Amino acid sequence: MLRCLLVDDEPLALRLLTNYVERVPFLELVGTCRSALEAMAVLQKERVDVLFLDIQMPDLTGVEFVRSMRPEALVIFTTAYEAYALEGYNLDAVDYLVKPIAFERFVKAAQKAQDRLAPRGGAEVAPPAPTPAAPVAPTPHPADDFIFVKADYHTQRINLRDIRYLEGLKDYIKIFAGAKPILTLNSLKAFEDRLPSHDFVRVHRSYIVALSWIDSIRKNRIYMGEAIIPIGDSYADAFHKLIEERNMH
């Protein structure tokens, strides 16, 4: 039995996929979710073998979810847009189902997942032991130079100097540090209390920015590379006052 999770913001699509799952003997339904954020919570609690994942969803798209979360479950994308097919396969998706999804096509995708998971039941051969490398002394860090966050089924260290900004998504935080954003279950208020206030400033109910990464400020917009961060009305006075204190007259 393959334990599967259905993720789609359209109730009709979820009902159709649920019906399909119930008709396939080797599929077991773990649950249904209306967003990628809901799916993340389920994946942290339940074992899921196959993820039927819609792409176009609010807050976090299916592609963004896979890039940031890298779920252990196999992914089968479901979408109404064929244009995303190449990107889906680049993320090692098992299959790509275009809506409206026929039952025969759904079964074929499920069989692909079953075939890919089949080797897991066989005997595993231990990989050769790696050649031990010479130990490298860790670089010392001041006490407040990094933080640890739980993300992608592990605890990850993030250097504060790498954090450009943080975006709040309901109960989750997207941390922009490095090439790919890091998604973690937390609140923006918790980060606001933890991060050093001399460099990290709350500028919006959904954003905290690192002053050292700001390129420019125009009216109520902060420009950081390609990102444009809005300044909320309730945060504008305090933020502009802080910038004015650092301004060269």
Side-chain angles (χ1 to χ4, degrees), residues 7-92:
V7 188
D8 200 306
D9 63 324
E10 298 178 1
L12 290 177
L14 284 179
R15 283 200 290 270
L16 176 67
L17 293 177
T18 298
N19 176 266
Y20 284 178
V21 169
E22 292 172 349
R23 294 167 59 185
V24 179
F26 59 85
L27 292 183
E28 176 186 352
L29 183 62
V30 174
T32 62
C33 301
R34 296 286 299 276
S35 72
L37 299 181
E38 287 183 24
M40 184 182 301
V42 175
L43 289 172
Q44 291 177 342
K45 298 176 183 178
E46 301 283 349
R47 178 181 66 82
V48 175
D49 299 313
V50 184
L51 191 63
F52 289 89
L53 182 64
D54 188 24
I55 290 183
Q56 290 294 96
M57 293 186 292
D59 294 331
L60 194 68
T61 69
V63 170
E64 291 173 337
F65 172 73
V66 172
R67 284 177 175 169
S68 58
M69 188 72 178
R70 301 178 203 169
E72 294 182 355
L74 298 178
V75 175
I76 297 175
F77 281 119
T78 64
T79 182
Y81 303 96
E82 296 185 13
Y84 291 103
L86 179 59
E87 192 166 15
Y89 286 121
N90 286 338
L91 292 172
D92 197 30

Side-chain angles (χ1 to χ4, degrees), residues 187-197 200-202 208 235:
S187 68
L188 209 59
K189 181 64 168 61
F191 279 96
E192 185 180 12
D193 294 339
R194 173 64 179 83
L195 296 172
S197 59
F200 290 90
V201 181
R202 183 81 171 261
I208 292 176
Y235 300 90

Side-chain angles (χ1 to χ4, degrees), residues 120-135:
R120 296 185 185 182
E124 295 185 359
V125 179
T131 303

Side-chain angles (χ1 to χ4, degrees), residues 197-212:
S197 59
H198 63 271
D199 195 29
F200 290 90
V201 181
R202 183 81 171 261
V203 299
H204 189 276
R205 62 184 178 85
S206 300
Y207 292 96
I208 292 176
V209 302
L211 297 177
S212 58

